[in-house]
Amino acid sequence: MAADELARFASMARLRAFEEACLEGVPTFEIHGELHTGIGQEAIAAGMIAALRDRDALVSTHRNHMHALAKGVNARALMAEIFERETGLCRGRGGHMHPFDPERNFSATGIVGASLPVALGYAYAFKLRGEPHLAIGVTGDGGANHGTFHECLNMAAAWKLPLVVLVENNQYAISVRFADVTATATIAERASAYGAWGKCVDGTDVEAVETAFGEAMEHARAGKGPAILEATCYRFRGHYEGDHDSYRPRAEKKESRASLDPIARYRGMLIARGKATADELDAISSQAKFEMTAILAAVRADRQPDPSGALDHIFAEVSP
Amino acid sequence: MAADELARFASMARLRAFEEACLEGVPTFEIHGELHTGIGQEAIAAGMIAALRDRDALVSTHRNHMHALAKGVNARALMAEIFERETGLCRGRGGHMHPFDPERNFSATGIVGASLPVALGYAYAFKLRGEPHLAIGVTGDGGANHGTFHECLNMAAAWKLPLVVLVENNQYAISVRFADVTATATIAERASAYGAWGKCVDGTDVEAVETAFGEAMEHARAGKGPAILEATCYRFRGHYEGDHDSYRPRAEKKESRASLDPIARYRGMLIARGKATADELDAISSQAKFEMTAILAAVRADRQPDPSGALDHIFAEVSP
Amino acid sequence: MTAGARPNVRNINASQAIAEAISLEMERDDRVVMLGEDVGRSGGVFGSSRGLQERFGPMRVRDTPIAEMSFTGMGVGMAMAGLRPVVEIMFVDFVGVCLEQIYNAMAKIPYMSGGRVKIPMVIKTAGGNIGSAAQHSQCLWATFAHLPGMQVVTPCSLHDHKGMMAAAIRSDNPVIFIEHKALLLKKAKDFLTDPHVPEEAYATEIGKAKVVRQGRDVTLATLSASVEYALEAAAGLAGEGIDVEVIDLRSVVPLDSETVATSAERTGRLLVVDEDYLSFGLSAELAMRVIEQLGPSALRQVRRHAVPDVPIPAAQSLEEVIVPGPGSIAQVLREMAKGA
Amino acid sequence: MTAGARPNVRNINASQAIAEAISLEMERDDRVVMLGEDVGRSGGVFGSSRGLQERFGPMRVRDTPIAEMSFTGMGVGMAMAGLRPVVEIMFVDFVGVCLEQIYNAMAKIPYMSGGRVKIPMVIKTAGGNIGSAAQHSQCLWATFAHLPGMQVVTPCSLHDHKGMMAAAIRSDNPVIFIEHKALLLKKAKDFLTDPHVPEEAYATEIGKAKVVRQGRDVTLATLSASVEYALEAAAGLAGEGIDVEVIDLRSVVPLDSETVATSAERTGRLLVVDEDYLSFGLSAELAMRVIEQLGPSALRQVRRHAVPDVPIPAAQSLEEVIVPGPGSIAQVLREMAKGA
Ligand SMILES: Cc1ncc(C[n+]2csc(CCOP(=O)(O)OP(=O)(O)O)c2C)c(N)n1
Ligand SMILES: Cc1ncc(C[n+]2csc(CCOP(=O)(O)OP(=O)(O)O)c2C)c(N)n1
Ligand SMILES: [Mg+2]
Ligand SMILES: [Mg+2]
């Protein structure tokens, strides 16, 4: 399965290169609001790709770019949206926290706790229509303490809806430490309160995520109700670009970046396994960087939306 | 402990007599909004009395009269409030869903899911000030599916706050059956999701409630964090007076009224135990009825609030 | 005056008219689904979804737990998945637990997606005073109307209850449909406004106000149950020689201020009656739009009569002086007729 | 024009002024507590509670999980238990998940309890546009103001940020304190309004508007960051011979329409500038109150300039034409000065 292994590595490389390209838009004010990247958390999105199908629905959060790419959203259109261009996925109206791709059943929200309900709606629609698709709702560890976590898992379980709740547990909600505001050691163990499937996995190990996510999806597909997959990880940058991030100890950040980098880890694993050489993997990384740099250049040539369209799209029809 | 047993019986008799007196105000439009009574659920409130202390806080729901009485709220003032009188606990402004008695740290809300957060605030204040008081938040089975259940238990557990969550599980949220919308067989088993204490008790058995509520209070008092006590029961009347209640099968209602009446059950137990005769217990019931009838008569003689005061109390101080 | 005498008028209430509209729309379009507390087995606490679950099954008519934030968001997800959900928030007062999904998701996604995503979703909810105190009596239409991206429909006549619910369901826009508890249980024969409800499916255009009584002296614009109160007041005043034009706004968004301005220009006097709170609400917005249209000096008098920024008290003696009713409306009209 | 040159002016930003106010009030009164996301270890995402947790400990300055509905209700319970909580809702846009506890509990309990219970509670939250798109840019002061029982404070000057936060904490009433993100990080030297922040504790009375620039031609009433924009516009127009009177409303509830009416009566022209949504908001309410006070024909012109009922777009090119700024304000003023 060397091909799969290289594909996984390439996915992670692409995700990181995409985020790094986005970073370029901050100092230039091309992205004039805030920006949240998922750098350091690539193994989770990459680990989802294998099990995701085209019509599955994925509803993400403020930290959504990598999930969008995993779901197959066009990178050029996504980056253009993040860079506030008319060519963006949403014509520059939505911006980086609110990308919508109806063709891929992908969406996101900037409001914590607001993603799972929408995913639940997709799950319900799939069940109602007898479709085999699944709905995946993403939340952070912080979002898992919001009431919607409870409400949605309870409903999904009571009605056996095909919902997978993916918890990206990076140990922090901005500055607030998971352990300081959470009753249990993991989110996954709450599964028992809903008769749901639950597992906590090392979210910096792309293969472990892929396996566990596959299991979660199978559980939901089998009509057994919701699954909670918690993937632990560490956020490598500030909560948003510009965050002082002084709430995380310097040593913790340093150590985590060294030991929890999913790309470096997988690189080491593949070399140790003799699946690829360092040069081969570096070439993949370069290729990803090249692709995203090209997209960035193209996006930068695009226009911002024409101000005359500022009032378009509020209502679907002209009000009578 | 015959004295305790008779006191318990008397408490339940008083609670029921109070509610029955309230019923009188509906056809006369003295209570011109809706009215929710707890008839059939007396063992729960009565079972709380032994462990409740004066400064403990109790935050109740739309079905709050019996909790208020259990907390020691003055029956005359409470009934006057329900009957919309100037002599009421809140001068007729609050009405039956919104009684506030700051001296007893008793309050309620008409919004489902809104009681536990307020109770959590009391619990936090008690801990902050190093006071030994406990906070009790009441919810129905329906309210336990609201997100606040999760949020509050999580916070109370993370911070080891002295909170007792009392769930009155009467199997229905208006017409919606507990089992149709709930993932687990009990609410109490969710305790594991919060590392909390949890127990489900027969809420039509006043002694069982008293024992279990005492344990829950002890747990919270010991600084071990929140306790969930679920008490099963059956609502004998419609959700509110005037409810068609056709969503509950006739046979179910009949059987439940016969087998789950906490007062009849306790009456039978006490007679069987030889603790009291039927006549003695009937005398207690008559006495309760007499007391509440007298209060009702007094309340009926009270005035409604003077219309000229309709704009009072919006703000504490005159706005500058 | 009332419909009792009229033939061809079924003596149904507004809840029945609504249930009929939803039923017909569910029949026409199997993407239409309904969800909320007690909408299924019970048929709605006011009966406005009676019979639907029996007819369309529990998947299309879903009783939910008390979890408004999540089932409202579920509606948003359903709409994105191609369904046309009607989500009931039993009383509008409860919207504080789920406004998030309504105003940040439902109402904004069409715009945020650059027009790529439509949210054909109806929030159906009951407002208004029938004696239920501070947490169960509010109207709150202005709360929704202040937030962009949703139409806000507030029918009064029986005819409109059915027609505007159908229009709301057929609309590709998010619609807030606010019922008035007093109208839901009011029967055709007791309505002053149009009580005629054809049995077949029909949709009534959203966004047009209607002159429900013509008059010379004062223009009274209002909505929902207050239209009935206004007509009652106007009928009484006719005997005193005061001739009131009554306009049923029918929706708050869109707000048909043109119809009001046309009338007010003629009468020179405008009264806005509103059962919602006075300040930062419908009354100022409508009056200002009329003034903007006609110029500041076109009107001799402008008055607002609404709940005076106070929570609704429980006691009837207090509620009566807080909430506009036929008596208080008549009083204001009398004052205006006496004035310039 | 700016404070750079002035001695005695500490070059702090509004976040620091607020943190200082809270700190002094916590020192004066140990019933004052603060809670919210990131208010503790991080000192607030805008730094407006920096240093408080170190100083007063984690029980009095509590970092919460993301559970606004419950921690807002917790604030209500704390207030009933005798504390004086300051609850931070990080961005006002998030209020949709917890409005319930704000408007049905915090704001109504004083009335519902017949005056027996006071809720001395402050909701502290940041609004306003700094490029954060539809779900992180709203102002929403009119949403609160429409609902009775809470004061709504919207400071602009640095001096007011400190003084009004202190007043809000000392008040026995529920207060919504809405900061503007652009002001929170703006330093004294860049303020056009009063940048002077005494180090000692002081409280500024809530409910009085302030004329921050005198002028003959047009009365411009506004609030929050728009006061700065208005002053900038007015300064530019002075060179064109247009003399604008600028009024800082400072609070939306109470709304000091008297001060505005007094000015507008003199100038005959009223412009309300509002960074909140146009319809069913502050602009109509204020204009109507002025008209009610002065009579319909006292003003030659009334204009409203606000966000035109559209979600805030992400792209700067769109945001700029949606949100009132110095340029667009100047444009409206020019049109008004040309008119009657
Ligand atoms: C309802 C709501 N409250 C607060 C916020 C502000 N906020 C945005 S992201 C965030 C932290 C989220 O933490 P987590 O869910 O762990 O996700 P992470 O950022 O760590 O990926 C907060 C508090 C918000 N957007 N919505
Ligand atoms: C947020 C909210 N949603 C809905 C309601 C309407 N409502 C009032 S009581 C009730 C049912 C409550 O059920 P449960 O919690 O089991 O209490 P019970 O009435 O059975 O005692 C509902 C849906 C409400 N008051 N608040
Ligand atoms: Mg996190
Ligand atoms: Mg129940």
Side-chain angles (χ1 to χ4, degrees):
Chain A
M1 301 259 293
D4 277 8
E5 287 165 325
L6 295 185
R8 269 186 219 112
F9 184 83
S11 296
M12 290 198 288
R14 266 188 101 234
L15 296 175
R16 178 158 304 176
F18 182 92
E19 294 289 45
E20 285 175 346
C22 289
L23 294 179
E24 308 269 326
V26 176
T28 61
F29 294 102
E30 286 162 294
I31 302 171
H32 86 301
E34 66 275 272
L35 177 75
H36 312 91
T37 76
I39 294 175
Q41 308 184 184
E42 293 84 353
I44 304 174
M48 297 166 73
I49 294 174
L52 283 173
R53 298 288 166 267
D54 225 47
R55 297 306 301 158
D56 290 342
L58 201 161
V59 184
S60 182
T61 66
H62 57 288
R63 204 176 299 290
N64 58 60
H65 310 164
M66 305 201 304
H67 309 130
L69 294 173
K71 192 66 189 59
V73 173
N74 179 278
R76 167 98 171 68
L78 181 64
M79 199 185 294
E81 187 60 34
I82 296 167
F83 278 71
E84 311 176 3
R85 309 291 158 148
E86 178 70 36
T87 50
L89 199 57
C90 304
R91 298 185 179 137
R93 269 73 176 169
H96 102 282
M97 276 193 280
H98 322 101
F100 295 87
D101 187 346
E103 267 112 67
R104 303 265 161 187
N105 278 342
F106 176 82
S107 68
T109 171
I111 307 295
V112 173
S115 54
L116 301 189
V118 176
L120 189 72
Y122 275 105
Y124 195 99
F126 295 153
K127 174 153 179 161
L128 172 68
R129 294 191 298 236
E131 293 166 351
H133 320 313
L134 306 180
I136 300 93
V138 181
T139 174
D141 49 294
N145 287 333
H146 191 281
T148 50
F149 181 87
H150 174 63
E151 295 180 349
C152 291
L153 277 160
N154 180 55
M155 280 190 262
W159 303 333
K160 298 270 178 275
L161 301 183
L163 176 73
V164 173
V165 172
L166 179 82
V167 183
E168 293 191 319
N169 186 345
N170 60 12
Q171 319 297 330
Y172 284 88
I174 310 187
S175 73
V176 178
R177 278 190 299 229
F178 177 66
D180 288 348
V181 294
T182 313
T184 48
T186 69
I187 297 295
E189 68 198 85
R190 294 181 186 161
S192 66
Y194 311 102
W197 181 100
K199 187 172 261 185
C200 182
V201 71
D202 178 350
T204 66
D205 176 343
V206 64
E207 293 183 358
V209 172
E210 192 175 293
T211 305
F213 186 68
E215 288 167 27
M217 296 285 275
E218 267 328 298
H219 176 90
R221 200 185 310 277
K224 298 185 206 158
I228 304 172
L229 177 61
E230 175 178 9
T232 56
C233 56
Y234 197 81
R235 151 165 73 67
F236 279 18
R237 300 188 61 87
H239 173 73
Y240 62 97
E241 292 308 308
D243 184 6
H244 56 76
D245 200 0
S246 59
Y247 46 80
R248 298 192 299 180
R250 219 177 276 274
E252 175 189 298
K253 283 188 272 193
K254 207 173 149 200
E255 274 163 42
S256 301
R257 280 199 205 97
S259 65
L260 296 175
D261 185 333
I263 299 182
R265 283 192 65 189
Y266 204 49
R267 187 173 185 278
M269 266 156 81
L270 294 190
I271 294 171
R273 286 183 200 163
K275 296 292 182 178
T277 65
D279 282 354
E280 283 165 354
L281 296 173
D282 289 348
I284 291 175
S285 291
S286 298
Q287 167 56 27
K289 185 124 210 128
F290 180 82
E291 178 196 353
M292 295 307 167
T293 307
I295 290 179
L296 176 61
V299 162
R300 284 184 149 164
D302 292 342
R303 282 179 307 111
Q304 282 222 353
D306 191 303
S308 68
L311 299 182
D312 294 347
H313 314 304
I314 306 175
F315 288 113
E317 313 142 339
V318 176
S319 300
Chain B
M1 300 257 293
D4 278 8
E5 287 164 327
L6 295 185
R8 271 185 218 111
F9 184 84
S11 296
M12 290 199 288
R14 267 187 100 234
L15 296 175
R16 179 158 304 176
F18 183 92
E19 293 289 44
E20 284 174 348
C22 289
L23 295 179
E24 308 268 327
V26 177
T28 61
F29 295 102
E30 287 162 294
I31 302 171
H32 86 300
E34 66 276 270
L35 177 75
H36 313 91
T37 76
I39 294 176
Q41 309 184 183
E42 293 84 354
I44 304 174
M48 296 165 73
I49 294 174
L52 283 174
R53 299 286 165 268
D54 223 48
R55 298 306 300 159
D56 290 343
L58 201 161
V59 184
S60 182
T61 67
H62 57 288
R63 204 177 299 290
N64 58 60
H65 310 165
M66 305 200 305
H67 309 129
L69 295 174
K71 191 67 189 60
V73 173
N74 179 277
R76 167 96 170 71
L78 182 64
M79 199 186 293
E81 186 60 32
I82 296 167
F83 277 71
E84 310 177 2
R85 308 290 157 148
E86 178 70 35
T87 50
L89 199 57
C90 305
R91 300 185 178 136
R93 270 72 175 170
H96 102 281
M97 276 193 280
H98 322 101
F100 295 87
D101 186 346
E103 268 112 68
R104 304 265 161 188
N105 278 343
F106 177 82
S107 68
T109 171
I111 306 296
V112 174
S115 54
L116 301 189
V118 177
L120 188 72
Y122 275 105
Y124 195 98
F126 296 152
K127 174 153 177 159
L128 172 68
R129 294 192 297 236
E131 292 166 352
H133 319 313
L134 306 179
I136 300 93
V138 181
T139 174
D141 50 294
N145 287 333
H146 192 281
T148 50
F149 180 87
H150 175 62
E151 295 180 349
C152 291
L153 277 160
N154 181 56
M155 279 190 262
W159 303 333
K160 298 268 177 276
L161 302 183
L163 176 73
V164 173
V165 172
L166 179 82
V167 183
E168 293 190 319
N169 186 346
N170 60 11
Q171 317 298 330
Y172 284 89
I174 309 187
S175 73
V176 179
R177 279 190 298 230
F178 177 66
D180 288 351
V181 294
T182 313
T184 48
T186 69
I187 297 296
E189 68 198 86
R190 294 181 186 161
S192 67
Y194 310 102
W197 182 99
K199 186 172 263 185
C200 182
V201 72
D202 179 350
T204 66
D205 176 343
V206 64
E207 293 184 357
V209 173
E210 192 175 292
T211 304
F213 186 67
E215 287 166 28
M217 296 284 276
E218 267 327 298
H219 176 91
R221 200 184 309 278
K224 298 186 205 156
I228 304 171
L229 178 62
E230 175 178 9
T232 56
C233 55
Y234 197 81
R235 149 165 74 67
F236 280 16
R237 301 187 61 87
H239 173 73
Y240 62 96
E241 293 308 307
D243 184 4
H244 57 77
D245 199 1
S246 59
Y247 46 79
R248 297 192 299 181
R250 221 177 275 273
E252 175 190 299
K253 282 188 273 194
K254 207 173 146 198
E255 274 164 42
S256 301
R257 281 200 205 97
S259 65
L260 296 175
D261 184 333
I263 298 181
R265 283 192 66 188
Y266 203 48
R267 187 173 184 278
M269 268 156 78
L270 294 190
I271 294 171
R273 285 185 201 160
K275 296 292 181 178
T277 65
D279 282 352
E280 283 164 354
L281 295 173
D282 290 347
I284 291 175
S285 292
S286 298
Q287 167 55 29
K289 185 124 210 129
F290 180 81
E291 177 194 355
M292 295 307 167
T293 308
I295 291 179
L296 176 61
V299 163
R300 284 183 151 165
D302 292 342
R303 282 179 307 110
Q304 282 221 353
D306 190 303
S308 68
L311 298 182
D312 296 346
H313 313 304
I314 306 174
F315 288 113
E317 313 144 336
V318 176
S319 301
Chain C
M1 191 79 213
T2 64
R6 296 177 227 181
N8 295 330
V9 167
R10 294 182 288 155
N11 194 25
I12 62 175
N13 65 25
S15 286
Q16 289 169 291
I18 292 169
E20 197 168 284
I22 301 174
S23 184
L24 289 165
E25 295 309 308
M26 290 187 76
E27 218 168 74
R28 293 175 78 236
D29 185 344
D30 62 13
R31 295 169 304 173
V32 179
V33 296
M34 183 165 186
L35 60 155
E37 295 148 18
D38 305 287
V39 301
R41 282 181 52 244
S42 152
V45 290
F46 296 103
S48 55
S49 54
R50 195 148 294 160
L52 297 182
Q53 191 182 67
E54 278 149 29
R55 181 120 189 249
F56 300 102
M59 276 306 284
R60 282 187 73 196
V61 182
R62 170 58 69 180
D63 275 325
T64 62
I66 306 168
E68 286 89 354
M69 169 75 178
S70 292
F71 71 70
T72 305
M74 199 171 133
V76 173
M78 287 168 149
M80 292 210 278
L83 299 176
R84 303 179 77 85
V86 178
V87 176
E88 177 164 306
I89 307 293
M90 191 186 292
F91 282 36
V92 71
D93 311 67
F94 312 155
V95 80
V97 304
C98 61
L99 191 62
E100 154 50 26
Q101 290 286 353
I102 294 175
Y103 85 120
N104 276 334
M106 180 187 84
K108 293 198 175 101
I109 286 175
Y111 186 86
M112 289 195 298
S113 70
R116 290 193 69 185
V117 179
K118 287 179 187 158
I119 307 286
M121 174 168 169
V122 180
I123 300 275
K124 169 188 181 302
T125 186
N129 286 278
I130 52 164
S132 304
Q135 296 182 336
H136 287 72
S137 297
Q138 298 167 91
C139 292
L140 303 185
W141 31 71
T143 298
F144 298 103
H146 180 58
L147 304 163
M150 36 192 161
Q151 300 202 327
V152 181
V153 174
T154 50
C156 177
S157 80
L158 268 185
H159 188 88
D160 281 353
H161 273 87
K162 179 167 175 185
M164 296 183 88
M165 176 51 86
I169 294 173
R170 292 182 201 178
S171 167
D172 277 346
N173 287 315
V175 179
I176 310 283
F177 187 93
I178 306 183
E179 305 149 346
H180 193 291
K181 298 191 272 298
L183 298 178
L184 286 175
L185 299 177
K186 184 167 175 163
K187 294 234 168 179
K189 68 175 175 49
D190 299 320
F191 269 84
L192 301 175
T193 51
D194 187 357
H196 185 69
V197 180
E199 308 212 7
E200 67 276 12
Y202 65 92
T204 304
E205 189 184 5
I206 293 172
K208 293 259 176 286
K210 190 171 175 177
V211 178
V212 290
R213 184 187 206 281
Q214 296 188 331
R216 271 186 331 268
D217 297 333
V218 187
T219 297
L220 188 170
T222 189
L223 73 177
S224 190
S226 298
V227 178
E228 295 276 322
Y229 308 151
L231 287 171
E232 199 180 321
L237 291 178
E240 301 176 26
I242 303 173
D243 193 16
V244 182
E245 179 139 317
V246 178
I247 297 175
D248 178 357
L249 294 166
R250 298 160 99 207
S251 63
V252 182
V253 179
L255 182 63
D256 180 4
S257 52
E258 287 76 15
T259 296
V260 179
T262 305
S263 167
E265 186 166 29
R266 190 162 34 75
T267 64
R269 297 189 185 94
L270 173 63
L271 169 64
V272 185
V273 174
D274 188 4
E275 201 179 319
D276 195 357
Y277 302 115
L278 173 69
S279 292
F280 307 90
L282 169 68
S283 59
E285 183 64 30
L286 178 57
M288 266 311 286
R289 288 201 196 173
V290 170
I291 288 169
E292 284 165 345
Q293 260 160 270
L294 301 179
S297 47
L299 297 178
R300 281 171 294 149
Q301 287 184 53
V302 202
R303 283 275 298 261
R304 311 192 263 160
H305 181 43
V307 172
D309 300 334
V310 59
I312 307 297
Q316 190 158 13
S317 62
L318 300 174
E319 188 193 22
E320 274 169 9
V321 298
I322 292 294
V323 179
S328 68
I329 295 170
Q331 194 46 42
V332 177
L333 287 167
R334 259 184 223 109
E335 288 167 26
M336 290 181 77
K338 262 186 232 135
Chain D
M1 188 81 213
T2 64
R6 297 178 227 179
N8 296 330
V9 168
R10 295 182 289 155
N11 194 25
I12 63 175
N13 64 26
S15 286
Q16 289 168 290
I18 291 170
E20 197 168 283
I22 301 174
S23 184
L24 289 165
E25 295 309 309
M26 290 187 76
E27 217 168 76
R28 291 177 78 235
D29 185 344
D30 62 13
R31 297 170 303 174
V32 179
V33 295
M34 183 166 186
L35 60 155
E37 295 149 18
D38 306 288
V39 301
R41 281 181 52 244
S42 152
V45 290
F46 296 103
S48 55
S49 55
R50 195 148 294 159
L52 297 182
Q53 191 182 66
E54 278 149 29
R55 182 121 189 246
F56 300 102
M59 275 307 284
R60 282 187 71 195
V61 183
R62 171 58 69 180
D63 275 325
T64 62
I66 306 168
E68 287 88 353
M69 168 75 178
S70 292
F71 71 70
T72 306
M74 199 171 133
V76 173
M78 287 168 150
M80 293 210 280
L83 300 175
R84 304 179 76 86
V86 178
V87 176
E88 177 165 307
I89 308 293
M90 191 186 292
F91 283 36
V92 71
D93 310 67
F94 311 154
V95 79
V97 305
C98 61
L99 192 61
E100 153 52 25
Q101 290 286 353
I102 294 175
Y103 85 120
N104 276 333
M106 180 187 82
K108 295 198 175 101
I109 286 175
Y111 186 85
M112 290 194 297
S113 69
R116 289 193 68 185
V117 179
K118 287 179 185 159
I119 307 286
M121 174 168 169
V122 180
I123 301 275
K124 168 187 181 302
T125 185
N129 286 276
I130 52 163
S132 304
Q135 295 181 336
H136 287 71
S137 296
Q138 298 167 93
C139 293
L140 303 185
W141 33 71
T143 297
F144 298 104
H146 180 57
L147 304 164
M150 37 191 161
Q151 301 203 325
V152 181
V153 173
T154 51
C156 178
S157 80
L158 268 185
H159 188 88
D160 281 352
H161 273 86
K162 179 167 175 184
M164 296 182 88
M165 175 51 86
I169 293 173
R170 293 182 199 178
S171 168
D172 277 344
N173 287 315
V175 179
I176 310 283
F177 186 93
I178 306 182
E179 306 150 345
H180 193 291
K181 297 190 271 298
L183 297 178
L184 286 175
L185 299 177
K186 186 167 173 165
K187 295 235 166 178
K189 69 175 175 47
D190 299 321
F191 269 84
L192 301 175
T193 52
D194 186 358
H196 185 70
V197 180
E199 308 212 6
E200 67 275 13
Y202 64 92
T204 305
E205 189 183 6
I206 293 172
K208 292 259 175 287
K210 188 171 176 178
V211 178
V212 290
R213 185 187 204 283
Q214 297 188 331
R216 272 187 329 270
D217 298 332
V218 187
T219 297
L220 188 171
T222 189
L223 73 178
S224 191
S226 298
V227 178
E228 295 276 322
Y229 308 151
L231 287 171
E232 199 180 322
L237 290 178
E240 301 176 26
I242 303 173
D243 193 17
V244 183
E245 178 139 318
V246 179
I247 296 175
D248 179 357
L249 295 165
R250 297 160 98 208
S251 65
V252 182
V253 179
L255 182 63
D256 180 4
S257 52
E258 287 76 14
T259 297
V260 179
T262 304
S263 167
E265 185 166 29
R266 190 161 34 77
T267 64
R269 297 187 186 95
L270 173 63
L271 169 64
V272 185
V273 174
D274 187 4
E275 202 179 321
D276 195 357
Y277 301 115
L278 173 69
S279 292
F280 305 90
L282 168 69
S283 59
E285 182 65 31
L286 178 57
M288 267 309 288
R289 289 203 195 172
V290 169
I291 288 169
E292 285 165 347
Q293 259 160 271
L294 301 179
S297 47
L299 298 178
R300 281 170 294 149
Q301 287 184 54
V302 202
R303 284 276 297 262
R304 311 192 264 160
H305 180 42
V307 173
D309 300 333
V310 59
I312 307 298
Q316 190 158 13
S317 62
L318 300 174
E319 187 193 22
E320 275 169 7
V321 297
I322 291 293
V323 180
S328 69
I329 294 170
Q331 193 47 42
V332 177
L333 287 167
R334 262 184 221 109
E335 288 168 24
M336 291 181 76
K338 262 187 232 135

